Amino acid sequence: MRLAVLVGGKGRGSNMKAILHACKTGRIPSEGALVIAPKDDIPAVGIAREYGAEIAILSPKEQHFAADLVAILAAERIDLLCLAGFLKLLPVEVLQAMPDSILNIHPALLPKFGGKGMYGVRVHEAVLRAEQLESGCTVHYVNEQFDEGAILWQMLCPVEPGDTPETLAARILPLEHECYVEAIRKWIADHGKAGRKASM
Ligand code: GAR
């Protein structure tokens, strides 16, 4: 089982860190994880180095991003690609190269409060505007639309009276870390440890 984490340009990297930590402690049965980041000078890359993860620098702004990403995933024999803070749509070539093997995390209970432009604080603002009593996070399969793939795992928490987008985000973030690890464990259990590649 080989796993890769694709982080975004802001690259805070807290979900990536939770995944690397779970690989290190054996909670996720993967031979470490490859971290793919758009640039070197973001916090996620520093954290990845501390964990001794392999790192590939590849920006979605590059002309051959799709082909290069597919080549990296193949060369590294990656079974599962996890998006963590990567906020762009993935090119179709990448989706086709990794069928049912790309996950993303979203900081709300999809199918509500997702879609283009819905990330970070905007998601929590929308939840509060809609006067929801609960929120949470969702790990879902990635397809050609924003936040629309099949849901794999969700975790819930209450929205408290007086919550601000920031307090809600702070309650949900640790839940995201737990949710992503559990979702990956479920994916591995559902697909078998050897995964898709074993039949090739
Ligand atoms: C996370 O909160 C994740 O749910 C969100 O980006 C953040 C990345 O943080 N993703 C989206 O909103 C996707 N629509 P991290 O870099 O600390 O993992």
Side-chain angles (χ1 to χ4, degrees), residues 12 29 40-41 44 70 124 137 146 155 178 181 183 188 192 200:
R12 177 176 60 178
D40 201 73
D41 58 344
V70 169
H124 307 298
C137 54
F146 283 106
M155 286 191 177
E178 184 60 24
V181 170
I188 293 171
M200 288 175 73

Side-chain angles (χ1 to χ4, degrees), residues 12-15 84-85 87 104-107 118-120 147 173 176:
R12 177 176 60 178
S14 74
N15 279 288
L87 303 174
N104 181 41
I105 187 148
H106 184 77
M118 286 295 270
Y119 57 87
D147 304 323
L173 191 60
E176 288 189 42

Side-chain angles (χ1 to χ4, degrees), residues 22-38:
C23 292
K24 192 173 173 181
T25 59
R27 226 180 126 197
I28 293 177
S30 170
E31 303 165 26
L34 168 70
V35 170
I36 306 166

Side-chain angles (χ1 to χ4, degrees), residues 121-159:
V121 83
R122 292 190 203 171
V123 178
H124 307 298
E125 282 168 356
V127 169
L128 292 175
R129 249 196 325 270
E131 300 183 349
Q132 301 293 288
L133 296 178
E134 37 184 35
S135 189
C137 54
T138 304
V139 174
H140 63 94
Y141 286 93
V142 171
N143 65 13
E144 24 330 84
Q145 310 293 335
F146 283 106
D147 304 323
E148 282 189 14
I151 292 171
L152 179 60
W153 204 258
Q154 289 186 311
M155 286 191 177
L156 279 66
C157 67
V159 176

